Amino acid sequence: MIYKTKLRFLVGLVGVLALVYAGTWVFEPERVNARNAAFQWVEAKQLAEADRIELSGTGESLTLVRKEGNRWFVSRDDGDYPAKQERVADFLRILSNKGNYPVRSTEAASHERLGLTENAASRILIRGGAAVPPLLDLLVGQRDPTGQEVYLRKQDQNEVRSGDTTLAGYVASSRTSWYNLRLFPEAEQPGLAAVQRLTVYAPPLPEEESSAPEPPFSLSRSGGGWIIEGAAVPELDTPRVEAYIRSILDAEGEDFLSLAETSAVEALTEGRLVLDLGNGLSHTIRVGPLEANRRSAVVSDNPYGYALAEWTVNRIFKTASYFAPQ
């Protein structure tokens, strides 16, 4: 009997100790803080309804709208311009993914000190249809003393959390960082294999604006390589020709032109590139005169006009001798 009594006592003691250990493990301050820090600002299923994003604060105010084809556009006074779809998707993903956002304060008195009053903070406002209130109304405040995190709180809530500066970076970024400025957007790019012929009408060099430009020439597919017409280059460097055509298909502008600027450029013939495709279609890129180290450009069947940096123009307009074997 004494043995059984001792055994029961020891088993009970082991059970109590196990509960105490489990309790200290579950309620350990670091673990509690880690659980409290895991947080998402909005659920992904809610963001599936988002059709308008408004960013304002330290950077340039910006509005993104989702339109036909489930695609995002940057809204300007004169119209809507294509946005980088992956950039918008990444931004929304950060907001809906659980991240490390520890609670830093629950007192309204801290908001002014942390830059989280409505007048001082940057703001991320996401709307979905006619939904009221918005899907998310998030204020972005000052950086913490380490400079590695920024203070955040939802509008109309006192709770303040902190997180890395990624969201602040999105809010402060320039309008052009959201634009998809490819002359041939990814979904519409014909691809190298589709190009059968390229004709180059080069603009005059800056120091020769008043003189005649280089004579035009054409690059055409022939067997497994390329031939040139309009220039005395008997042999071509095929990899160089194809790398050049890829550079044209992948070319990007620095900014969009306004609608008025685009209409003006459409009448210009300072220089142009004509790509003839195997399906009988063709695309023409036309550029205007050099102004402030940029040229205006338009692409056929594309409603947008682009400002091209001078180095981009120099990359997509080459002389015939460039394609000779080196």
Side-chain angles (χ1 to χ4, degrees):
M1 291 297 292
I2 295 175
Y3 170 76
K4 291 183 179 179
T5 300
K6 288 184 177 180
L7 181 60
R8 291 194 191 98
F9 173 77
L10 291 173
V11 170
L13 181 60
V14 169
V16 170
L17 291 174
L19 288 173
V20 171
Y21 174 77
T24 58
W25 187 84
V26 171
F27 297 106
E28 183 182 359
E30 290 185 3
R31 296 186 183 278
V32 172
N33 290 339
R35 287 198 300 276
N36 290 338
F39 184 78
Q40 64 182 154
W41 293 107
V42 61
E43 293 184 6
K45 64 181 180 181
Q46 289 181 284
L47 289 184
E49 304 171 8
D51 57 17
R52 186 179 180 89
I53 302 170
E54 299 172 21
L55 305 177
S56 59
T58 58
E60 185 178 5
S61 294
L62 179 86
T63 299
L64 296 152
V65 293
R66 184 153 65 177
K67 300 175 66 176
E68 65 278 356
N70 202 32
R71 299 188 67 77
W72 287 93
F73 292 79
V74 178
S75 184
R76 294 195 336 195
D77 292 341
D78 62 344
D80 297 329
Y81 293 80
K84 293 176 181 175
Q85 304 304 304
E86 277 303 312
R87 179 175 173 82
V88 179
D90 288 344
F91 175 60
L92 295 177
R93 194 176 298 117
I94 291 170
L95 292 169
S96 62
N97 282 351
K98 280 196 172 182
N100 186 43
Y101 298 103
V103 175
R104 298 304 185 188
S105 173
T106 57
E107 301 295 331
S110 68
H111 295 172
E112 184 173 1
R113 175 172 54 84
L114 302 178
L116 285 170
T117 58
E118 189 169 350
N119 293 333
S122 299
R123 190 175 188 181
I124 298 170
L125 187 62
I126 302 178
R127 302 184 186 276
V132 179
L135 302 176
L136 179 65
D137 191 350
L138 182 63
L139 300 178
V140 182
Q142 298 174 355
R143 297 191 179 210
D144 73 351
T146 70
Q148 302 300 310
E149 293 192 334
V150 67
Y151 297 110
L152 305 151
R153 79 173 176 94
K154 286 187 177 182
Q155 177 71 292
D156 298 328
Q157 292 187 12
N158 288 335
E159 182 181 81
V160 175
R161 292 177 178 267
S162 67
D164 68 43
T165 59
T166 302
L167 289 176
Y170 275 103
V171 177
S173 59
S174 66
R175 180 185 299 268
T176 54
S177 69
W178 293 91
Y179 285 149
N180 183 352
L181 288 161
R182 292 176 65 103
L183 303 189
F184 296 98
E186 297 85 342
E188 303 166 19
Q189 190 190 90
L192 173 64
V195 179
Q196 299 299 306
R197 180 183 175 91
L198 168 65
T199 304
V200 180
Y201 300 84
L205 296 173
E207 63 272 16
E208 301 172 359
E209 289 283 356
S210 60
S211 62
E214 290 281 325
F217 64 91
S218 296
L219 298 164
S220 302
R221 286 190 184 274
S222 178
W226 295 81
I227 59 173
I228 193 167
E229 302 170 33
V233 183
E235 184 181 356
L236 299 183
D237 185 331
T238 295
R240 176 167 280 214
V241 171
E242 295 187 344
Y244 167 62
I245 295 174
R246 286 193 190 94
S247 73
I248 296 171
L249 297 176
D250 292 337
E252 297 186 23
E254 285 191 320
D255 200 350
F256 283 113
L257 303 179
S258 67
L259 294 180
E261 291 172 320
T262 301
S263 298
V265 175
E266 287 174 346
L268 298 176
T269 56
E270 192 80 5
R272 68 187 190 275
L273 297 165
V274 181
L275 293 94
D276 296 311
L277 309 182
N279 59 6
L281 299 177
S282 65
H283 296 287
T284 301
I285 302 173
R286 290 195 294 278
V287 299
L290 184 66
E291 297 179 2
N293 296 320
R294 303 200 309 187
R295 290 184 188 266
S296 301
V298 291
V299 184
S300 57
D301 301 319
N302 184 332
Y304 307 103
Y306 302 85
L308 299 186
E310 184 178 6
W311 69 267
T312 300
V313 175
N314 293 338
R315 184 163 59 91
I316 65 176
F317 284 97
K318 297 293 188 183
T319 61
S321 60
Y322 173 81
F323 303 102
Q326 301 301 302

